[in-house]
Amino acid sequence: MTRTAIYARYSTDLQRESSIEDQIRLCEKKVREAGGQVFQSYTDHAVSGASIMRPGIQMLMQDAAAGRFDEVYAEALDRISRDQADIASFYKRLTFAGVRIVTYAEGEINELHIGLKGTMNALFLSDLRKKTHRGLVGKVEKGLSGGGKCYGYDVVHGEERGHRTINEAQAAIVRRIFEEYAAGKSPKAIALTLNKEGIPGPMGKAWGQSTINGNRQRGTGILNNELYIGRLVWNRLTYMKNPETGKRVSKLNPEEDWIIHDVPELQLIDDDLWQAAKDRQRKLDRTGGNFWTKQRPRNLFSGLIKCGECGGGFSMVSQTHMGCSNARNKGTCSNKRTMKRENLEQDVLGALEHYLMDDELCNVFCEEYTRHMNKLRREHDAALDFHRDDLRKVKKHLSQMVDAIAEGAPVAPIKDKMHELENRRVHLEALLKDVEEAPPLLHPSMACRYREQLGKLIETLNTPEHRAEAAEIVRSLVEKIVLTPDESENRLVADLHGDLAGILTLSAGPKPSSHINDATIAASRAALGEGPTCESAPEGASQDKLVAGVGFEPTTFRL
C-alpha cells in the first residue's frame, strides 16, 4: 500500500484558516479512493507561496529524504510553491528520494508541469505584484494610506480603506518628542523619560533610541516621518525576499520613483518645529560623521555580554564598571548591579583557558562526535562511489553504441537511447565536479592543544602590535557572557557560553610557535580557517555552529 504524505497551505490573501482543513479533506478522500494510506499531513498557515522557507514544507522534505513515505499529494502545484526555482528544486529533491508528487488539479507531476506551471505561477506572482502596486499608487495619489500603521494616527474603517485620522493623545507625544529634541535633549534621554512615565511606544512596545532617531535616508523613526508635516511620501523603499534566507529586506528606491502627496489635514507639527529638528540632525551629522559605525570593539568582550534578567546588552556605565543597558537607557529592566570590566575579563580568560575544555568530558565528546561524523562520511563517500560507478557504466554503453554504429548498425533504433545516456553522463559529471571526499576528523589531544593555543593568545594580548588580532580570535571562542544578579551573595554571577565551533577549530589547529608574535596569530588563524595561512589548517576544521547535547555541555561554565 502506497504511503502518502499530504501537504496543504493557505496564504493571507482571500483565504481563511478552514482552507487548510478543506484541502486536507479533499486530498485524504482522493488518496483513499486510489487505495493509498495517509502517512501524515504537513501544513503551513498564513504563509506566502513565494518562498520555500516554511516549516511545514521543510519538514516534509526532511521526511521524504528519510524515506518515510512514497508520494506527496496536494490540492495543486501552487500550494507547494509559486517560485520557479523553488518548485524545480523541490521536484529534484523528491525525485532523488524516489517520492512521487501528485496533485488533485494536475495529476502526477513531471518535468512538463514543473516547466509550464512553474512559469505560470511566477507570472501570476509578478502580475499580482504589479496590480497591487498600481492599486496602491492610486490610493496614495488620493491622499490615502498605502499600507501600514503610523504612530499618531488611527485607521478609519469604512467602505474605502486607507483613511486616517489624528490620534490626539499620540499626537501630543509626537509634538513633545520634537520639542525636546529641538531643545537639545537626546533621543536616548527622551526614550528613557517616556518609558519611566509608562507611555507605550509604537506597537505597544517600549521606546528606544532608534524608535525616535530611525534612519534619515530611509525616512524611518519619529524624527524623520514627513507625514507629521502633512507630506505623504510613498514608494521610498522596495521590499524583497532574500532568496537565500527567505527573509524580507528593504532597498532604497531612487528619489524620482517616490510618490509624494500633500495631506495638510494630517499635519501634527508646524514647519518651524520640524525645521529646528532637521537643523539639529544636520549639525550632529557634521560633527559626528560615521565614527561609531567604523570602530572595532572598544573592549575585549564588547557586544558579547548579556543581562540575565532581560536579555539585553551590557555596556560601560562608568570608566571601570559595566551595567545593563536597558536598565539605564530604557528603564525596562530591574538589574541595576554593575561589575568591574577588568575583573570580568580576567575571570572569562581564566575560564576559557582552564575550565571550558574538561579532559574527561572532551574525550567523551570526541568519541561520540567522531563516531557520528564517520557514519556521515561513509554515507557521503558511498554516494560518490555510486555516482562514479554509474558514470563508468554510462560511458561504456555510449562507447559500445558508437562502435556499433561504426560497424554499420542502424542509427534510428538507438538514437533516443544515446541521447538519454548522454544527458545522464552530463548530469553525473556535474554532480561529481569539484566534489571532495569527507576529511578526517578531530585530533585526539584536542583539549591539551586548545589550552596551549589559548595560553599563547592570552600572552599575545599584552603585545600592542598584535593585540587587536589576538582579541578577535579570543572573541571567536565566546558566544555570550550572561550576567545574572545573585541576591543571596549580593553580586553578579557570570555564565560563560563558549562557541563550540571556534573552540574545536582552535583545538584542531597546528601547534603554535614558542614565539609570542606573528606565528601565534598565524597558527590560530589557520585553525579558524582565516587569512593566508588557512591552507595549513588541519583537515576537518569546521566553521559550522555546533550545539552540545543534553548532559554534555563543555561550552558553558559558571564563573
Side-chain angles (χ1 to χ4, degrees):
M1 184 178 289
T2 303
R3 298 169 301 166
T4 303
I6 292 174
Y7 179 75
R9 175 188 65 83
Y10 87 94
S11 54
T12 54
D13 55 330
L14 304 178
Q15 291 184 307
R16 62 194 191 283
E17 183 79 16
S18 61
S19 173
I20 290 281
E21 299 174 2
D22 296 339
Q23 292 178 48
I24 292 176
R25 189 182 304 112
L26 172 65
C27 293
E28 286 180 343
K29 178 183 177 183
K30 294 300 178 182
V31 169
R32 292 193 178 99
E33 287 178 356
Q37 176 187 3
V38 176
F39 167 74
Q40 185 176 331
S41 295
Y42 301 82
T43 60
D44 284 306
H45 298 252
V47 181
S48 169
S51 171
I52 206 166
M53 297 297 179
R54 294 170 259 140
I57 199 75
Q58 291 293 326
M59 181 62 69
L60 184 148
M61 288 193 291
Q62 289 181 23
D63 289 349
R68 295 184 178 177
F69 47 80
D70 306 311
E71 73 174 15
V72 173
Y73 200 100
E75 182 187 42
L77 195 59
D78 62 6
R79 294 300 87 199
I80 296 173
S81 179
R82 293 185 184 274
D83 183 85
Q84 285 175 292
D86 286 345
I87 194 64
S89 174
F90 180 83
Y91 178 77
K92 289 172 69 176
R93 290 187 184 186
L94 265 65
T95 300
F96 181 76
V99 177
R100 296 190 311 148
I101 305 174
V102 183
T103 68
Y104 174 74
E106 294 93 4
E108 184 171 351
I109 301 302
N110 56 36
E111 289 83 355
L112 187 62
H113 293 95
I114 298 301
L116 294 179
K117 292 292 290 188
T119 302
M120 291 171 63
N121 289 333
L123 289 173
F124 168 80
L125 280 178
S126 177
D127 188 48
L128 179 63
R129 192 179 298 114
K130 291 176 182 177
K131 287 180 178 178
T132 302
H133 189 271
R134 185 172 66 247
L136 291 176
V137 169
K139 292 181 66 175
V140 172
E141 289 179 345
K142 291 166 61 176
L144 303 179
S145 170
K149 299 181 69 175
C150 179
Y151 187 80
Y153 303 94
D154 290 326
V155 176
V156 178
H157 298 284
E159 294 183 2
E160 187 176 22
R161 294 184 177 182
H163 288 281
R164 286 181 284 202
T165 186
I166 295 175
N167 182 316
E168 293 298 339
Q170 294 181 358
I173 301 300
V174 172
R175 297 187 191 101
R176 172 182 168 181
I177 291 172
F178 273 89
E179 289 167 356
E180 292 182 352
Y181 181 78
K185 197 171 183 178
S186 70
K188 178 179 174 181
I190 296 172
L192 183 61
T193 303
L194 292 173
N195 288 328
K196 282 184 177 179
E197 296 177 8
I199 299 172
M203 310 301 291
K205 298 180 180 180
W207 290 92
Q209 179 177 345
S210 60
T211 312
I212 297 171
N213 249 344
N215 184 297
R216 286 183 60 192
Q217 188 179 20
R218 291 172 173 260
T220 59
I222 297 292
L223 294 175
N224 303 307
N225 192 343
E226 296 185 52
L227 190 59
Y228 295 147
I229 56 171
R231 191 167 181 254
L232 176 59
V233 181
W234 189 76
N235 202 40
R236 194 194 299 259
L237 301 174
T238 293
Y239 293 89
M240 305 175 67
K241 284 191 176 179
N242 187 321
E244 296 293 332
T245 64
K247 293 184 178 179
R248 193 166 176 256
V249 296
S250 62
K251 295 184 178 181
L252 188 66
N253 290 331
E255 194 168 346
E256 57 267 21
D257 293 340
W258 299 359
I259 298 175
I260 302 172
H261 191 83
D262 290 329
V263 283
E265 68 277 9
L266 297 180
Q267 185 167 357
L268 298 186
I269 62 174
D270 59 59
D271 294 340
D272 291 338
L273 182 56
W274 172 268
Q275 193 58 48
K278 295 292 112 178
D279 288 343
R280 187 176 178 219
Q281 282 183 329
R282 282 190 286 269
K283 182 179 179 181
L284 291 174
D285 284 345
R286 288 195 296 271
T287 57
N290 294 322
F291 176 74
W292 297 109
T293 62
K294 297 179 180 178
Q295 277 196 315
R296 287 179 179 267
R298 177 173 291 185
N299 301 311
L300 181 57
F301 298 117
S302 293
L304 300 176
I305 306 172
K306 306 296 180 183
C307 174
E309 290 286 323
C310 67
F314 258 59
S315 57
M316 297 298 297
V317 296
S318 69
Q319 289 186 344
T320 59
H321 283 69
M322 308 185 74
C324 175
S325 300
N326 284 338
R328 284 154 179 79
N329 299 338
K330 295 185 177 181
T332 57
C333 180
S334 59
N335 185 4
K336 298 286 187 179
R337 296 190 180 278
T338 61
M339 177 175 279
K340 193 172 182 179
R341 176 182 61 81
E342 291 183 0
N343 292 346
L344 177 64
E345 290 180 355
Q346 291 174 3
D347 289 344
V348 171
L349 290 173
L352 281 172
E353 185 176 12
H354 300 294
Y355 300 109
L356 200 59
M357 290 286 282
D358 178 81
D359 283 337
E360 183 177 350
L361 293 179
C362 181
N363 290 335
V364 175
F365 172 78
C366 287
E367 291 175 5
E368 293 299 321
Y369 180 87
T370 303
R371 184 181 297 112
H372 177 68
M373 292 305 295
N374 278 336
K375 177 177 177 292
L376 295 180
R377 182 177 62 183
R378 286 194 298 270
E379 293 174 354
H380 171 76
D381 292 343
L384 291 181
D385 290 338
F386 174 82
H387 291 319
R388 293 190 182 106
D389 185 59
D390 195 9
L391 181 60
R392 283 193 294 270
K393 292 178 181 178
V394 168
K395 288 182 175 179
K396 181 179 179 181
H397 289 158
L398 282 172
S399 178
Q400 290 173 346
M401 289 181 178
V402 171
D403 291 340
I405 294 173
E407 292 174 5
V411 177
I414 60 176
K415 180 179 179 182
D416 292 340
K417 184 64 176 178
M418 286 191 70
H419 282 302
E420 180 183 336
L421 288 172
E422 178 62 16
N423 292 336
R424 179 66 178 164
R425 181 191 66 79
V426 173
H427 175 69
L428 289 170
E429 288 180 345
L431 283 176
L432 295 170
K433 184 179 180 182
D434 299 328
V435 173
E436 297 179 357
E437 295 193 0
L441 301 170
L442 300 177
H443 196 282
S445 59
M446 183 173 67
C448 179
R449 177 168 291 179
Y450 164 82
R451 281 191 290 273
E452 185 177 4
Q453 286 273 49
L454 188 60
K456 295 293 184 181
L457 282 173
I458 292 175
E459 292 178 21
T460 307
L461 288 172
N462 298 318
T463 60
E465 62 272 25
H466 300 298
R467 182 181 295 121
E469 292 83 355
E472 182 181 350
I473 297 171
V474 171
R475 283 172 59 87
S476 73
L477 306 178
V478 178
E479 180 184 350
K480 61 182 177 180
I481 303 164
V482 181
L483 299 181
T484 307
D486 188 338
E487 299 300 336
S488 62
E489 298 184 18
N490 195 30
R491 68 187 183 96
L492 284 172
V493 176
D495 288 287
L496 170 62
H497 296 251
D499 189 327
L500 191 54
I503 294 170
L504 292 179
T505 48
L506 182 66
S507 306
K511 191 171 182 178
S513 167
S514 58
H515 300 289
I516 307 171
N517 50 30
D518 288 330
T520 301
I521 299 296
S524 302
R525 285 200 175 279
L528 293 170
E530 300 173 10
T533 59
C534 65
E535 290 182 358
S536 63
E539 294 181 327
S542 170
Q543 290 299 305
D544 292 337
K545 188 76 169 180
L546 303 180
V547 180
V550 176
F552 175 63
E553 297 180 351
T555 57
T556 304
F557 182 78
R558 171 157 285 193
L559 306 182

